[in-house]
Amino acid sequence: MHTTAHSHPLSYTDWTLTETQFDPDQLHARETVFTIGNGYLGTRGSFEEGYPRALPATFIHGAYDDVPIVYTELANCPDWLPLVVIVNGDRFRLDQGECLSYERQLDLRRGILSRSVRWRSPSGKTLDLHFERFASLADEHVLGLRCQITPVDFSGLVEVQASINGYAENQGFNHWEGLDQGKTNRGVWLQVRTRSSRIELAMASGMKISGAETSLQVTSAPGYPTLTAAFWAAPDQTVTVENIVTVFTSREGVTPVEAAQAKLAELPTYTALRQAHEQAWSQAWQKSDIVIEGDSRAQLAVRYNLFQLLISAPRHDDRVSVPAKTLSGFGYRGHIFWDTEIFILPFFTFTRPALARNLLTYRYHTLSGARRKASHAGYRGAMYAWESANTGDEVTPRWSLPHDPYAEDVRIWCSDREIHISADVAYAAWYYWYMTGDDLWMRDYGAEIILDTAIFWGSRVEWNTKQERYEIRSVIGADEYHEYVNNNAFTNRMVQWHLEKAISLYDWLDSSFPDRFAELKQKLKLTSERRSRWQDIVTNLWIPYDPATGLIEQFEGFFELEDINLQDYEPRIRSMQAILGIESANKRQVLKQPDVLMLFYLMRQSQEFPYSLAALQQNWDYYAPRTDITYGSSLGPAIHAILAADLGKSSEAYKHFIQAAMVDLEDTRGHAADGSHGASAGGIWPAVILGCGGVKLYRKWPRGQSTAAFRVETLV
Amino acid sequence: MHTTAHSHPLSYTDWTLTETQFDPDQLHARETVFTIGNGYLGTRGSFEEGYPRALPATFIHGAYDDVPIVYTELANCPDWLPLVVIVNGDRFRLDQGECLSYERQLDLRRGILSRSVRWRSPSGKTLDLHFERFASLADEHVLGLRCQITPVDFSGLVEVQASINGYAENQGFNHWEGLDQGKTNRGVWLQVRTRSSRIELAMASGMKISGAETSLQVTSAPGYPTLTAAFWAAPDQTVTVENIVTVFTSREGVTPVEAAQAKLAELPTYTALRQAHEQAWSQAWQKSDIVIEGDSRAQLAVRYNLFQLLISAPRHDDRVSVPAKTLSGFGYRGHIFWDTEIFILPFFTFTRPALARNLLTYRYHTLSGARRKASHAGYRGAMYAWESANTGDEVTPRWSLPHDPYAEDVRIWCSDREIHISADVAYAAWYYWYMTGDDLWMRDYGAEIILDTAIFWGSRVEWNTKQERYEIRSVIGADEYHEYVNNNAFTNRMVQWHLEKAISLYDWLDSSFPDRFAELKQKLKLTSERRSRWQDIVTNLWIPYDPATGLIEQFEGFFELEDINLQDYEPRIRSMQAILGIESANKRQVLKQPDVLMLFYLMRQSQEFPYSLAALQQNWDYYAPRTDITYGSSLGPAIHAILAADLGKSSEAYKHFIQAAMVDLEDTRGHAADGSHGASAGGIWPAVILGCGGVKLYRKWPRGQSTAAFRVETLV
């Protein structure tokens, strides 16, 4: 499938990526790559005029709606892109007529997507079209779309139709029921509501045409309000169509229709809006940029990945978080995984702590869902969902149901067994605090997260009477190729670490904020007995580990599994699980992603057990060759890059860094169509700054102050 | 929910049902009731102008597409109804302005749905609107829609927009991807294709306006081609808008776009088309009508139910069959059950044998799916799907997945255990032959159905060594309140009967059509040993039965279940399963629908075992009071009506007949919104003709000749 990925590569400058040829085979992957956004919404890079089988999508944080099997998904919102240009009866579209020149460009510095096309219509009229769009970073409810039309070799009637398409769909499913639509003196509006979650959304759209005599008309099919204008165009005379769209949902505590109309009425010109937007991007980059000299591809790739993070992180909302595929595609249905806390968060913690705080506070607001999950599973405290959405309740599908009525239904065990998520969230909360010194956040939000998940662990560990040790059985570790294991080293050590920190936090809160401590003691039923039990678990929780060699066993019995030499399977373009099958991969020493090494990465920052260079070397030599780093999980390469750099393996570090950085730009795994790889993008920042760049950051962060940009002079 | 059902009852004449007040609470149920169709498609009675939360739908036989969990469903086709009337900027809609008078009427004799509304717009303009629509029975690819507009108290601009809505949806899912659309000199067209099954569909629409000066305009949003006309209207001057729509799919072996356009181009006037349509209905009623004198409600109800059958049965296609909810709703996803063969077929066998043949031949064309099901379950021969669609493969969902992530997933066992369907199909094939004498159909189609399902039974029965008898274990019988039973009397006797007939058929084919016999012997591996084994099963298959009393035990151990007195639960408005829960209903002597009594009904025609009046009386007295006839299965009442009539219980027979006849008209079970109850409608004909009417029909049917209408002078 992805064999075509390199057939029409993008070209790069330090700040722009450019597509110089349109290839229908890359349609969906490039829609992902050219996504724009502003932390409120993301819009895939689909064409304004449409294209057969295109997957246009606009996702708004928190706008989830019910769906079978996977419980809930981000609803694809009404599409604000449709802009149809009709020349002498021929509708501009790239699957008809002749495309004489083509260039699509994403300007990362300005956050602007543009496209220039010279097109000859089936009846032989040639025209230049220049499109441009942005999702304002200065005002997240504002979207701008411009089209400049210049006849090359004809004079004639040109018609332009700009619409809001209320029939947006999630793979066929339209989550929105139309409530109403209408016109204003500046344009049209549409009001819709999700079917089950009853989130109301309104968009209002205004159009302005300059360079020609015309008047606007409203022609509204139900659910498809459209502004139409027809004008006479002449060679070399450019007509400019500017479309401004406003969008609000009931999640913002407003009446969306009124808010969208009022906002549209008060807006300045398209040019002024774009200027404010560019100014906001300029400020954003001042805080978050990484300058790489002497490697344009790496430079652009790093900025591209940071851009994905910056357009995805909510700025004014702490009840949402960044989905695994950000807001750029349908993959994983907009669900939120550990990807956010463990992979995406460091960039924000270090460069935009206020945004990191938003993301973490989402976990505070979803504690009640985590408590429901724990309670339904028979445990105490808070057990975070493997996949989470609005409420924090578990939304991981339990079944993969085949379309073949005679095939077996496949049970998905992640929600039951991939329990390390609760320690991951606590880890992220702790490190945010550690790095920023944001004591008030820890007092008001973080402590409850860390302590109530610690209570969960207290009820989840099992005492092995024979061996006289605590154990954690029936889990899936970080490595998802092994679906049912006991005493996964990664999980057990993370839980141990979590309880260590919970004890410190317990004491810190007691001494620093006794009122809040008293409050939480009562709410969570915290007692000194509970604290003692945590200490007992910390001391006696078993981690499969050979102190003589420093080698950690991924889980109990891993070393007895059949060994594998991944080289024997090269060259390959599929994951080892796809090649071996689920059952067979379960029985081999093959990893989807770092597991013991993931633990080294997480303990690296504080140089805690088991991290040491010697132990890392020992475990790297064992696990790296057994990890399906190319086609396993996209979470792996950035971690391998950092650890390889620690071990002085610069060229290997660079190779893995590029694997991570290019996963979407070059669609190296063939999944870019589903949305950008958020965790991989998140791993780029630590890979460059903490790994290859060699920067070490300790707790010296100026509290409450924003950070400056990083400069990395030689990457390798 | 259905407590509002009687708040605005319909009124009846012998041939029409009329709704004189629009009640939004009954919106969906009445959309079902006012469905029209022609055996090719069905269109729910939704309003032309739309209504909030309306569920417009057009279903075409065989136009299935993939969907999760339930595998496949009839795709809701593009909607041909949208007709918007705008008066001085106000769009006619019943949820705004003032409805001064309202009457919706379905004329069963002519197959025409009409509606008269006097409406005052929010700005105070009053107008009369008269809508009329039909799906031509004379040419199944032609649909007619007319709107007559008469201003009452104003002169002004009126705009009319007639559209094809390509965004039709199945509970939010749009199965169609837009391929193309355009205009012709008579109107507009739309070309779409189902996402997975790749069925192409095209509709073409032409509009004609008389009574005013105007010209047509095309304003096409993508997927929503629209014809628009504006005209000046004056008081008491009627403007008539006539819209003709043609529709084709690739299932008909044509290029749909060309076929739809060509058909539209060649059509005569609306009036001529309607005349041909009415003529076709007149002929249809000549063959199938039942005249009931002295009971207008019963008269209309009987005709209404026959109408449902007549609009659902395919006329020119023997690869499709009538879904459980006909073509009138989303319930059961357009899947085909035993409802068709056992409940719906008799009406056609007796009055329209060519249509019965179409329905049965569907089971011949789906034999390969039935063979796949048998093979995957480890059996031989053909095992029919409990729910069937295009291929005959099993499409019963295996799971009911709750939306609550902590609730249990409920396994649905019908596809595994409700195996009597294979005997039911054989029964229907046999009786069609028996009643019509259609030897050639039996030779070419029916024999293979009956023999290959007999082979299945040969591999499905189990020999009980201890008891020295054949048994059939782990089944669900006709009564679905008991989900896991052994030796269900209904199933076992139907299998025994099936094998008896298979042996006769084996011998008949051998003597009458030796060539075909030789062919089938080879194809199905029929041998005289197999015939002997069938005979052995017939002799030794156990049926739980007390010869002394004639009382049959529904299944092994039924009499030991906890007994129940249904009177103790009255009054109630829910099924006993809903009241008791699945598990608890399993453990009681409570039936969802006739099971032993169903067997009496099926064996009644030929007066075979166990049918005798004495045995019927014995079993009626036991089972009728234990059957949830009001809120259990809608399949029950018609059967009880017939058997009660046999026993001379006329008033009870009439009561059950009315229960069956009114299930949709009066929405007595609260499910009419999901589509009309096809099996219940099917049961009306035998209930009147074979039951209450007292007619007995034996094998005296004139071969190949159509039948005359029935006249029932006194129903009770």
Side-chain angles (χ1 to χ4, degrees):
Chain A
M1 184 200 302
H2 74 293
T3 49
T4 61
H6 293 79
S7 52
H8 299 290
L10 299 164
S11 60
Y12 311 118
T13 72
D14 284 359
W15 280 107
T16 63
L17 64 159
T18 306
E19 178 188 65
T20 52
Q21 191 167 349
F22 169 61
D23 175 0
D25 288 342
Q26 293 175 287
L27 179 69
H28 297 156
R30 291 290 162 81
E31 285 177 332
T32 296
V33 166
F34 289 109
T35 294
I36 59 171
N38 59 9
Y40 171 75
L41 58 70
T43 295
R44 285 168 60 81
S46 312
F47 295 147
E48 288 81 357
E49 69 278 10
Y51 196 85
R53 289 168 297 109
L55 291 174
T58 290
F59 297 109
I60 294 181
H61 271 307
Y64 290 95
D65 191 38
D66 294 2
V67 68
I69 305 175
V70 298
Y71 304 105
T72 191
E73 68 183 358
L74 276 184
N76 186 6
C77 297
D79 189 11
W80 56 282
L81 297 180
L83 199 150
V84 170
V85 178
I86 300 164
V87 180
N88 259 52
D90 288 323
R91 179 161 70 81
F92 164 63
R93 49 197 283 188
L94 289 178
D95 61 326
Q96 289 185 6
E98 203 179 341
C99 184
L100 303 174
S101 73
Y102 174 93
E103 187 181 89
R104 175 157 59 165
Q105 187 172 81
L106 180 60
D107 183 331
L108 301 170
R109 176 151 45 184
R110 303 190 304 138
I112 285 176
L113 176 65
S114 62
R115 181 166 54 121
S116 298
V117 180
R118 174 164 290 190
W119 182 72
R120 184 165 294 151
S121 75
S123 58
K125 317 274 182 211
T126 310
L127 69 165
D128 284 334
L129 292 158
H130 183 75
F131 293 95
E132 169 183 293
R133 74 173 80 145
F134 64 92
S136 175
L137 199 67
D139 183 341
E140 64 186 21
H141 298 286
V142 174
L143 308 162
L145 177 62
R146 192 177 75 177
C147 178
Q148 294 171 303
I149 305 163
T150 316
V152 173
D153 57 10
F154 72 99
S155 292
L157 195 71
V158 173
E159 191 185 332
V160 176
Q161 301 172 354
S163 308
I164 303 169
N165 176 10
Y167 299 100
E169 60 183 46
N170 290 60
Q171 292 144 310
F173 191 84
N174 179 358
H175 282 287
W176 304 94
E177 44 185 24
L179 293 184
D180 206 355
Q181 63 191 80
K183 52 183 160 181
T184 64
N185 50 3
R186 278 191 72 151
V188 292
W189 55 270
L190 175 70
Q191 180 194 19
V192 295
R193 185 173 60 194
T194 52
R195 288 166 193 271
S196 303
S197 58
R198 300 263 155 169
I199 295 169
E200 212 178 289
L201 176 149
M203 284 186 180
S205 167
M207 186 158 89
K208 193 181 153 228
I209 294 184
S210 51
E213 279 296 310
T214 183
S215 65
L216 296 186
Q217 277 208 321
V218 175
T219 60
S220 285
Y224 213 100
T226 299
L227 285 163
T228 301
F231 48 84
W232 192 259
D236 300 329
Q237 290 179 20
T238 298
V239 178
T240 299
V241 180
E242 290 169 348
N243 208 26
I244 296 168
V245 179
T246 59
V247 54
F248 285 86
T249 80
S250 51
R251 291 191 72 257
E252 290 101 62
V254 297
T255 307
V257 169
E258 289 170 18
Q261 290 186 31
K263 170 72 76 180
L264 187 67
E266 78 189 17
L267 287 180
T269 63
Y270 176 91
T271 310
L273 289 171
R274 192 184 58 189
Q275 204 165 16
H277 165 73
E278 292 179 0
Q279 179 64 26
W281 268 109
S282 167
Q283 288 165 2
W285 283 118
Q286 274 168 38
K287 293 180 185 161
S288 302
D289 190 23
I290 295 176
V291 175
I292 293 175
E293 289 174 352
D295 187 341
S296 260
R297 180 163 172 251
Q299 172 66 83
L300 184 281
V302 165
R303 284 182 172 142
Y304 173 80
N305 283 286
L306 302 187
F307 182 83
Q308 300 315 309
L309 305 177
L310 289 168
I311 66 176
S312 307
R315 268 133 184 92
H316 308 294
D317 194 340
D318 62 10
R319 290 173 183 269
V320 297
S321 186
V322 179
K325 296 287 182 185
T326 69
L327 298 176
S328 64
F330 297 93
Y332 296 118
R333 313 298 189 110
H335 292 183
I336 295 146
F337 295 68
W338 70 318
D339 302 39
T340 310
E341 282 76 17
I342 296 299
F343 294 86
I344 292 176
L345 208 73
F347 166 69
F348 290 110
T349 298
F350 286 111
T351 79
R352 299 290 297 272
L355 303 193
R357 199 165 54 234
N358 281 348
L359 295 174
L360 282 168
T361 307
Y362 161 79
R363 293 293 187 178
Y364 171 81
H365 290 302
T366 53
L367 266 172
S368 53
R371 287 176 183 131
R372 280 190 291 273
K373 180 177 177 186
S375 153
H376 280 280
Y379 302 113
R380 293 176 189 276
M383 179 189 190
Y384 277 106
W386 179 245
E387 301 185 22
S388 182
N390 264 350
T391 62
D393 287 294
E394 183 61 76
V395 294
T396 307
R398 271 201 292 256
W399 293 99
S400 169
L401 300 179
H403 182 67
D404 175 355
Y406 309 118
E408 287 290 313
D409 305 324
V410 178
R411 182 67 160 79
I412 298 168
W413 293 104
C414 301
S415 58
D416 311 75
R417 299 181 188 159
E418 208 152 351
I419 57 174
H420 63 79
I421 175 80
S422 292
D424 305 331
V425 171
Y427 176 95
W430 179 272
Y431 265 101
Y432 166 77
W433 179 46
Y434 181 75
M435 288 297 168
T436 61
D438 189 346
D439 291 344
L440 296 185
W441 183 84
M442 181 51 81
R443 181 194 65 184
D444 295 339
Y445 303 101
E448 195 168 334
I449 293 174
I450 292 173
L451 294 171
D452 214 21
T453 43
I455 289 171
F456 160 65
W457 291 125
S459 71
R460 178 61 176 81
V461 297
E462 297 160 61
W463 177 252
N464 182 328
T465 328
K466 224 182 249 173
Q467 307 270 3
E468 296 194 307
R469 66 191 187 198
Y470 286 102
E471 299 191 341
I472 302 177
R473 307 178 67 83
S474 317
V475 304
I476 300 174
D479 162 34
E480 291 177 320
Y481 278 177
H482 298 92
E483 293 196 306
Y484 184 87
V485 307
N486 296 327
N487 293 307
N488 167 248
F490 171 84
T491 304
N492 287 19
R493 172 57 185 138
M494 287 296 286
V495 171
Q496 186 186 52
W497 183 97
H498 181 172
L499 294 176
E500 288 164 15
K501 299 307 180 251
I503 292 164
S504 309
L505 185 66
Y506 183 101
D507 298 342
W508 173 81
L509 204 62
D510 190 6
S511 63
S512 308
F513 298 103
D515 289 355
R516 174 64 172 158
F517 182 63
E519 191 188 336
L520 277 185
K521 275 188 85 165
Q522 194 177 0
K523 181 174 183 186
L524 307 182
K525 301 198 179 66
L526 282 175
T527 56
S528 54
E529 289 73 29
R530 189 152 256 162
R531 185 190 177 288
S532 306
R533 182 158 144 71
W534 290 349
Q535 189 57 62
D536 184 38
I537 298 169
V538 166
T539 311
N540 293 300
L541 184 58
W542 181 50
I543 290 159
Y545 170 68
D546 180 351
T549 62
L551 188 64
I552 292 177
E553 187 171 22
Q554 183 174 320
F555 53 78
E556 201 180 342
F558 180 83
F559 290 149
E560 280 124 61
L561 298 181
E562 189 180 331
D563 209 355
I564 194 168
N565 183 354
L566 292 184
Q567 290 305 320
D568 295 347
Y569 295 86
E570 297 294 343
R572 63 186 168 96
I573 54 163
R574 292 190 304 156
S575 77
M576 288 308 298
Q577 192 182 54
I579 291 168
L580 299 170
I582 294 176
E583 289 300 315
S584 178
N586 270 331
K587 293 179 187 148
R588 314 266 182 125
Q589 291 193 39
V590 57
L591 286 66
K592 183 178 176 189
Q593 63 225 101
D595 190 293
V596 168
L597 294 177
M598 190 68 203
L599 182 62
F600 274 86
Y601 167 64
L602 292 179
M603 295 300 144
R604 172 184 182 274
Q605 195 60 38
S606 50
Q607 305 272 316
E608 286 175 274
F609 173 80
Y611 192 89
S612 75
L613 263 188
L616 173 61
Q617 184 74 57
Q618 186 76 19
N619 284 279
W620 174 274
D621 290 346
Y622 195 86
Y623 288 105
R626 290 174 173 81
T627 305
D628 183 2
I629 205 74
T630 43
Y631 292 100
S633 169
S634 65
L635 274 53
I639 306 306
H640 272 209
I642 295 164
L643 298 179
D646 277 10
L647 295 171
K649 301 167 183 291
S650 349
S651 71
E652 198 165 347
Y654 186 74
K655 185 185 80 181
H656 290 309
F657 158 72
I658 287 292
Q659 276 179 333
M662 292 299 170
V663 62
D664 293 317
L665 285 170
E666 299 186 351
D667 197 10
T668 51
R669 290 165 184 267
H671 301 140
D674 298 336
S676 73
H677 292 76
S680 180
I684 292 301
W685 190 88
V688 174
I689 300 301
L690 308 181
C692 313
V695 176
K696 303 270 182 222
L697 296 165
Y698 298 100
R699 194 180 178 171
K700 289 181 181 158
W701 219 253
R703 185 174 301 176
Q705 237 182 275
S706 72
T707 71
F710 294 86
R711 175 170 297 265
V712 184
E713 298 217 349
T714 50
L715 190 65
V716 183
Chain B
M1 185 198 305
H2 75 293
T3 49
T4 62
H6 293 79
S7 51
H8 299 290
L10 298 164
S11 60
Y12 311 117
T13 71
D14 284 359
W15 280 107
T16 63
L17 64 159
T18 306
E19 179 187 63
T20 52
Q21 188 166 353
F22 169 61
D23 175 1
D25 288 341
Q26 292 175 286
L27 179 69
H28 297 156
R30 291 289 162 82
E31 285 178 333
T32 296
V33 165
F34 289 108
T35 294
I36 58 170
N38 58 11
Y40 172 75
L41 57 69
T43 295
R44 285 168 61 81
S46 312
F47 295 147
E48 289 80 358
E49 69 278 10
Y51 196 84
R53 293 170 295 107
L55 290 175
T58 291
F59 297 109
I60 295 181
H61 270 306
Y64 290 95
D65 192 37
D66 294 2
V67 69
I69 305 175
V70 298
Y71 304 104
T72 191
E73 68 183 359
L74 277 184
N76 186 4
C77 296
D79 187 12
W80 57 281
L81 297 181
L83 198 149
V84 170
V85 177
I86 300 166
V87 180
N88 258 51
D90 288 324
R91 180 161 69 79
F92 164 62
R93 48 197 281 188
L94 289 179
D95 60 327
Q96 290 185 7
E98 203 181 340
C99 186
L100 303 174
S101 72
Y102 174 93
E103 186 181 273
R104 176 158 58 167
Q105 187 173 82
L106 181 59
D107 182 332
L108 301 169
R109 176 153 44 185
R110 302 189 305 139
I112 286 177
L113 176 65
S114 61
R115 182 166 53 122
S116 298
V117 181
R118 174 164 289 192
W119 183 72
R120 183 167 295 152
S121 75
S123 58
K125 317 274 183 211
T126 310
L127 68 165
D128 284 334
L129 292 158
H130 183 76
F131 293 95
E132 169 183 296
R133 73 173 79 144
F134 63 91
S136 175
L137 198 67
D139 183 341
E140 64 185 19
H141 299 286
V142 174
L143 308 162
L145 177 62
R146 192 177 74 175
C147 177
Q148 293 171 303
I149 304 163
T150 316
V152 173
D153 56 11
F154 72 99
S155 291
L157 195 70
V158 173
E159 193 184 331
V160 175
Q161 301 172 353
S163 308
I164 303 169
N165 176 9
Y167 298 100
E169 59 183 46
N170 291 60
Q171 291 145 313
F173 191 84
N174 178 356
H175 281 286
W176 304 93
E177 47 186 22
L179 293 185
D180 207 354
Q181 63 192 80
K183 52 182 158 181
T184 64
N185 50 4
R186 278 194 70 152
V188 293
W189 55 270
L190 175 69
Q191 180 194 18
V192 295
R193 186 174 58 196
T194 51
R195 289 166 193 271
S196 303
S197 58
R198 301 263 156 168
I199 297 169
E200 214 178 289
L201 176 149
M203 282 186 181
S205 166
M207 186 157 89
K208 195 181 151 227
I209 294 183
S210 51
E213 278 297 306
T214 183
S215 65
L216 296 186
Q217 275 207 325
V218 175
T219 61
S220 286
Y224 214 100
T226 300
L227 285 163
T228 301
F231 49 84
W232 192 260
D236 300 328
Q237 291 178 21
T238 298
V239 179
T240 300
V241 181
E242 290 168 347
N243 208 25
I244 297 168
V245 180
T246 59
V247 54
F248 285 85
T249 81
S250 51
R251 291 191 71 257
E252 290 101 63
V254 297
T255 307
V257 170
E258 290 170 18
Q261 289 186 30
K263 169 72 73 180
L264 187 66
E266 77 190 18
L267 287 180
T269 63
Y270 176 90
T271 311
L273 289 170
R274 193 184 56 189
Q275 202 165 18
H277 165 73
E278 292 178 1
Q279 179 62 28
W281 268 109
S282 165
Q283 286 164 5
W285 283 118
Q286 275 170 36
K287 292 180 186 162
S288 302
D289 189 24
I290 296 176
V291 176
I292 294 176
E293 289 173 353
D295 186 341
S296 261
R297 179 161 171 255
Q299 171 67 80
L300 185 282
V302 165
R303 283 182 174 143
Y304 173 79
N305 282 286
L306 301 186
F307 183 81
Q308 300 314 309
L309 305 177
L310 289 168
I311 66 176
S312 307
R315 270 135 183 90
H316 308 295
D317 194 339
D318 62 10
R319 290 173 183 270
V320 297
S321 186
V322 179
K325 295 287 182 186
T326 70
L327 298 176
S328 65
F330 296 94
Y332 296 118
R333 313 299 190 111
H335 293 182
I336 295 145
F337 294 67
W338 70 316
D339 302 38
T340 311
E341 282 75 17
I342 296 299
F343 294 84
I344 293 177
L345 209 72
F347 166 68
F348 291 110
T349 298
F350 285 110
T351 79
R352 299 290 298 269
L355 304 193
R357 197 165 55 233
N358 280 348
L359 295 174
L360 282 168
T361 307
Y362 161 79
R363 293 293 188 179
Y364 171 81
H365 290 303
T366 52
L367 266 173
S368 52
R371 287 176 183 132
R372 281 189 292 273
K373 180 176 178 187
S375 153
H376 280 281
Y379 302 113
R380 295 178 189 276
M383 179 188 190
Y384 277 105
W386 177 246
E387 300 185 22
S388 181
N390 263 350
T391 62
D393 287 293
E394 182 60 75
V395 293
T396 307
R398 269 201 292 256
W399 293 98
S400 168
L401 300 179
H403 182 65
D404 175 355
Y406 309 118
E408 288 289 314
D409 305 322
V410 178
R411 182 69 159 80
I412 298 168
W413 293 104
C414 301
S415 58
D416 311 75
R417 299 181 189 157
E418 208 152 351
I419 57 174
H420 63 77
I421 175 80
S422 291
D424 305 331
V425 171
Y427 176 95
W430 178 272
Y431 265 101
Y432 166 76
W433 179 46
Y434 181 75
M435 288 297 168
T436 62
D438 188 347
D439 292 343
L440 295 185
W441 183 84
M442 181 51 79
R443 179 193 68 185
D444 295 339
Y445 302 101
E448 195 167 338
I449 293 174
I450 292 172
L451 294 171
D452 213 18
T453 43
I455 289 172
F456 160 66
W457 291 125
S459 71
R460 179 61 178 80
V461 298
E462 297 159 63
W463 177 251
N464 183 328
T465 327
K466 224 182 251 175
Q467 308 270 4
E468 295 195 305
R469 66 191 187 198
Y470 285 102
E471 300 189 342
I472 302 177
R473 307 179 66 86
S474 317
V475 304
I476 300 175
D479 162 33
E480 292 177 321
Y481 278 176
H482 297 93
E483 293 197 307
Y484 185 87
V485 306
N486 296 326
N487 293 308
N488 167 249
F490 171 83
T491 304
N492 287 19
R493 171 59 185 136
M494 287 296 286
V495 170
Q496 185 186 54
W497 184 95
H498 181 171
L499 293 176
E500 287 166 14
K501 297 306 180 254
I503 291 165
S504 308
L505 185 66
Y506 182 101
D507 298 342
W508 173 79
L509 204 64
D510 188 7
S511 64
S512 308
F513 297 104
D515 289 355
R516 175 62 174 160
F517 183 63
E519 193 188 337
L520 278 185
K521 276 189 84 164
Q522 192 176 2
K523 183 173 182 187
L524 307 181
K525 301 199 180 67
L526 282 175
T527 56
S528 52
E529 289 73 28
R530 189 151 256 160
R531 186 190 176 287
S532 305
R533 183 157 145 69
W534 290 348
Q535 189 56 63
D536 184 38
I537 298 169
V538 165
T539 310
N540 293 299
L541 183 58
W542 182 50
I543 290 158
Y545 171 67
D546 180 351
T549 63
L551 188 64
I552 293 177
E553 186 171 24
Q554 186 175 318
F555 53 79
E556 201 180 343
F558 180 82
F559 289 149
E560 279 123 63
L561 297 182
E562 189 180 333
D563 209 356
I564 194 168
N565 183 353
L566 292 184
Q567 289 306 320
D568 296 348
Y569 295 85
E570 297 294 342
R572 61 186 170 96
I573 55 163
R574 294 190 302 156
S575 76
M576 288 309 299
Q577 192 182 52
I579 291 168
L580 299 171
I582 293 177
E583 290 299 316
S584 178
N586 270 330
K587 292 177 188 146
R588 313 264 184 127
Q589 292 192 39
V590 56
L591 285 65
K592 183 178 177 190
Q593 63 226 101
D595 191 292
V596 168
L597 293 178
M598 189 69 202
L599 182 61
F600 274 86
Y601 168 63
L602 291 179
M603 294 302 144
R604 172 183 182 275
Q605 195 60 39
S606 50
Q607 305 271 316
E608 287 176 271
F609 174 81
Y611 192 88
S612 74
L613 262 188
L616 173 61
Q617 183 74 56
Q618 186 78 16
N619 285 278
W620 174 273
D621 290 345
Y622 195 87
Y623 288 106
R626 291 172 172 83
T627 304
D628 184 1
I629 206 75
T630 43
Y631 292 100
S633 170
S634 66
L635 274 54
I639 305 306
H640 272 208
I642 295 165
L643 298 179
D646 277 9
L647 295 171
K649 300 166 183 290
S650 342
S651 72
E652 197 165 348
Y654 186 74
K655 185 185 80 181
H656 290 308
F657 158 72
I658 287 292
Q659 277 180 330
M662 291 299 168
V663 62
D664 293 317
L665 286 170
E666 299 185 353
D667 197 9
T668 51
R669 289 166 185 267
H671 301 141
D674 297 336
S676 72
H677 292 76
S680 180
I684 292 301
W685 190 87
V688 175
I689 300 302
L690 308 182
C692 313
V695 175
K696 303 268 182 223
L697 295 164
Y698 298 99
R699 193 182 178 170
K700 288 181 181 158
W701 219 252
R703 185 175 301 177
Q705 236 182 277
S706 72
T707 71
F710 294 87
R711 174 172 297 265
V712 183
E713 299 218 349
T714 49
L715 191 65
V716 183

